[in-house]
Amino acid sequence: MNFDNTFHTFKERKGARRPDSPFTSSPVPEETTTKYYNLSMEIHNISLTEHSSMPVEKNITLEKPSYVELTCQFTTSGNLKSVNVIWKKGDEQVLENNYLVNITGNTLYTQYMFTVINSKQMGSYSCSFEEKNEQKGTFNIKVPELLRKGKPLITYVGDSSILVCSCADCVPLNWTWYNSNGSAQVPIDVHMNDKYVINGTYANETRLKIMHLLEEDGGSYWCRATFLLGETEQHIELVVLSFLVPLKPFFGIVAEVIVLVAIILLCEFYTQKKKLHPDDGKEFEQVEQLKSDDSNGIENNAPRHRKNESAAQ
């Protein structure tokens, strides 16, 4: 919805009611609507009840300056006049005269309207209804996010690789590529280094081509998209492998096979040797037995000789 068609001037809007809004006036000053006459309009709302158990959040994506209208509604069976309404931007409370409060039936409405023209107006806006328990709704206003890929990009030494960044339904003012020097992001200058080429097929996409890859080209890369209202970035991890790396598991298997074959051959060699010389052990035992017998014979003959000598005397 265009601002021109919705709110021509503050004077024309004051006292008028939108069909889907319970409010009849706007707290936005006339000079604001006049200065930002051509802003697009963003309308968002959150519904809460006394039985809501968890805070409610809503994400709002803004690519360019806009007029924002945030509405929270709270339905309860209690006394709505005793409900305290608080708006906050981040942790800072918004002044009461900057938002509206209205009761219709058993529903309390509050509306906060403002212009977003730079990054300072981006962030979280929350509405709170304080009754017995606090009920809270939060609007998170941020620039478009880039499409993310969780897995690293794997390639090989000598090849070329293309890193891609894109966002859905958005057109950044500028794209910038960075890589890491170990501690900080360093902009990639294609004019100073012919290793890189940056181009994009579409306005919402950028491509970084890295040629003649080396292992040291692996690491962290970032693409950053710049919008009128801020910046957003995406991280890409590049892994550059040597051609020997895929062969390491194969080499490991070959080494295991060689060791296994060597053990089998040794066992086979030992078994064959025992078959070829089965009596070696017996011969050794016989020789030892003969030596033992000879020794016993000498010991036995010695006493007999002494007895004969005694008799002769």
Side-chain angles (χ1 to χ4, degrees), residues 50-177:
E50 59 183 327
H51 303 294
S52 299
S53 58
M54 296 291 291
V56 178
E57 293 196 27
K58 184 173 185 178
N59 294 325
I60 302 172
T61 300
L62 293 183
E63 182 179 344
K64 57 185 178 181
S66 305
Y67 181 86
V68 179
E69 181 180 297
L70 305 179
T71 302
C72 292
Q73 63 182 66
F74 175 62
T75 303
T76 178
S77 58
N79 183 9
L80 289 173
K81 293 182 179 180
S82 64
V83 177
N84 188 29
V85 178
I86 296 176
W87 277 92
K88 287 184 178 181
K89 181 187 183 303
D91 295 326
E92 185 178 350
Q93 189 167 329
V94 176
L95 297 177
E96 290 186 14
N97 59 348
N98 286 342
Y99 58 87
L100 301 174
V101 178
N102 189 22
I103 297 176
T104 303
N106 62 343
T107 302
L108 188 153
Y109 297 86
T110 180
Q111 189 177 77
Y112 183 35
M113 292 168 285
F114 55 95
T115 54
V116 176
I117 57 174
N118 55 44
S119 59
K120 293 181 180 180
Q121 282 88 40
M122 304 291 280
S124 297
Y125 293 81
S126 62
C127 58
S128 298
F129 299 93
E130 296 181 350
E131 196 186 20
K132 295 179 181 178
N133 299 315
E134 182 186 51
Q135 303 297 341
K136 183 178 180 180
T138 302
F139 301 89
N140 299 309
I141 304 178
K142 52 189 178 181
V143 295
E145 292 185 350
L146 304 182
L147 301 179
R148 299 186 180 276
K149 298 179 180 179
K151 296 182 180 179
L153 181 62
I154 300 175
T155 186
Y156 296 94
V157 171
D159 288 350
S160 296
S161 184
I162 298 177
L163 311 184
V164 181
C165 271
S166 62
C167 63
D169 302 323
C170 69
V171 181
L173 298 176
N174 184 46
W175 290 98
T176 309
W177 282 94

Side-chain angles (χ1 to χ4, degrees), residues 217-246:
D217 292 324
S220 297
Y221 290 80
W222 289 267
C223 63
R224 182 175 299 169
T226 303
F227 301 91
L228 285 172
L229 300 176
E231 298 177 334
T232 185
E233 66 180 22
Q234 175 187 345
H235 169 248
I236 301 175
E237 193 69 22
L238 178 65
V239 179
V240 182
L241 302 176
S242 167
F243 283 107
L244 294 178
V245 172

Side-chain angles (χ1 to χ4, degrees), residues 270-300:
Y270 180 74
T271 303
Q272 291 296 328
K273 186 176 179 181
K274 290 188 69 176
K275 290 180 178 180
L276 291 174
H277 305 285
D279 298 330
D280 286 352
K282 293 181 179 179
E283 291 177 359
F284 178 77
E285 291 177 359
Q286 292 173 356
V287 170
E288 291 296 319
Q289 184 65 38
L290 289 173
K291 288 181 179 180
S292 177
D293 293 343
D294 290 344
S295 175
N296 292 335
I298 293 173
E299 291 177 357
N300 293 333

Side-chain angles (χ1 to χ4, degrees), residues 249-267:
F250 173 74
F251 290 150
I253 295 173
V254 170
E256 291 178 359
V257 171
I258 291 174
V259 171
L260 182 61
V261 170
I263 293 173
I264 294 173
L265 291 176
L266 287 174
C267 293

